[in-house]
Amino acid sequence: MTRFTVDEANIFLSAAFKGRGAQNQVVTMEPGFAVMRLAADETHLRPGGYISGPTQMSLADSVAYMAIMTLTGLEPMTVTSNLNINFLRPCIGAAVIAEGRILKMGQALAVIEVHIRAEGAEKASSHAIVTYALPRKDA
Amino acid sequence: MTRFTVDEANIFLSAAFKGRGAQNQVVTMEPGFAVMRLAADETHLRPGGYISGPTQMSLADSVAYMAIMTLTGLEPMTVTSNLNINFLRPCIGAAVIAEGRILKMGQALAVIEVHIRAEGAEKASSHAIVTYALPRKDA
Amino acid sequence: MTRFTVDEANIFLSAAFKGRGAQNQVVTMEPGFAVMRLAADETHLRPGGYISGPTQMSLADSVAYMAIMTLTGLEPMTVTSNLNINFLRPCIGAAVIAEGRILKMGQALAVIEVHIRAEGAEKASSHAIVTYALPRKDA
Amino acid sequence: MTRFTVDEANIFLSAAFKGRGAQNQVVTMEPGFAVMRLAADETHLRPGGYISGPTQMSLADSVAYMAIMTLTGLEPMTVTSNLNINFLRPCIGAAVIAEGRILKMGQALAVIEVHIRAEGAEKASSHAIVTYALPRKDA
């Protein structure tokens, strides 16, 4: 069972971003797996009307964090150590879906695979691997 | 000599972001090398008062693009294909400096190394390698 | 249908490596997907008896190349431009299996996801994203 | 002062690789910085006579490890967690030089930047960022 629910995740995000990012919602929290949905507005677009790269990177970072919290519960000291993203094809749509799945949950590091696609699209627009450093659990 | 000046770069950024990102300024454009400065406000902070990871990723992406345009001039069809960032230490300060330097300028790809640090800090808070796909030059 | 068969792939590898790497076999070639198997010997081990990181990196690079050739046929001018690998857990066993699957087949770049595991193991020991630059198709 | 000398490093490598890799020599060990030199033979070449990608990846991994040991001394439990390499241009020559420099030495992770070039070449043939997980120091 997830240790951090969809509702808890959305309250956390809303507080962390002080009301900004209301279009940014967690929609699934299962053990080792999280899904977020971003309703895009013009601040997320790049010239040409595509969802921008930074929007996708930010979403990849967030959904990876959520995937970890399905296993750890709320853990504010968890921080990103590496993010590697490949942009595969244009991301065009009114909303973006990001799925994060844990590849490894170690003592010091968690590694999460993220697929991002425009809502309704079959193929991913980007693919990221995100590594988070976990706080030390001291006895 | 640079093929895209500091003034041209700032006009381009301002138009691309429609007035958002006024705190985001290009300060140096030399052949193969660009520097940007971001005056941070609360939208750039994460809990704890640090400059957030997504802020640094977005800045890395932008300064890499600027570094390319020092060599190509304005080239809107250039798009990010890969970004790999390592977060090295907390980024704490009122402004962030990002330096982008071309490692490779090929026919299909440009690879740029980016160092990001809090203004006044000696050590980098993050280090990124950004790859852009260049538009084909057809005869 | 694959444009490069298992037999063609093994003949190619054997010629490219001049007899070295006989333990390195292609076992599956389907459109967009390739599997290789390496029978490990002591040259592939690191202290502790694990399959070494460089062995896994080399295998990731090869299986990604094979996955491309399922779509392109033999294409010697295709070269690796980026390889990003995360080591997830120790790789212990007499043989290693690498699966490469195309994420994107573009005009200039192909991006391949690779999972590597010890034969018989359920979980991946490493996960790689490999980008190859494709030769230009001129008219 | 380095905590692991050039001589110690070469004895360690020779033992770890049981005599293979005699062409692989550590030539500089300074605090936070290491240089290795590989005298290439045909096993390091790919079709076309270039130094192969796996040869460069393996060297990047090794020199990063050496750079860490300049600060930690011999530490066999240090293991690679991520390696990201960009191939910038062909590596052609009788020997390859790899320089590793510590970007971050944390409690759990070390991040090392590696430049690889053909001996005598001015420009790097590849550039890697390597992350090692450090063993926990328990009280």
Side-chain angles (χ1 to χ4, degrees), chain A residues 13-25:
Chain A
L13 275 184
S14 177
F17 291 100
K18 301 194 176 92
R20 285 175 291 119
Q23 310 112 318
N24 211 349
Q25 293 290 311

Side-chain angles (χ1 to χ4, degrees), chain B residues 53-64:
Chain B
T55 298
Q56 296 181 59
M57 293 190 275
S58 179
L59 197 55
D61 188 55
S62 294
V63 80

Side-chain angles (χ1 to χ4, degrees), chain C residues 15 18 43 45 67 81-82 89 99 103 119-120 123 127 136:
Chain C
K18 301 195 177 91
T43 69
L45 301 183
S81 69
N82 175 265
R89 44 189 73 82
E99 299 183 353
L103 290 181
E119 195 171 46
K123 293 192 171 180
H127 176 277
R136 282 184 59 157

Side-chain angles (χ1 to χ4, degrees), chain A residues 7-22 24 66 74, chain B residues 42 45-47:
Chain A
D7 285 351
E8 288 169 330
N10 281 313
I11 289 167
F12 170 80
L13 275 184
S14 177
F17 291 100
K18 301 194 176 92
R20 285 175 291 119
N24 211 349
M66 293 299 147
L74 179 60
Chain B
E42 65 168 11
L45 302 183
R46 52 159 280 156

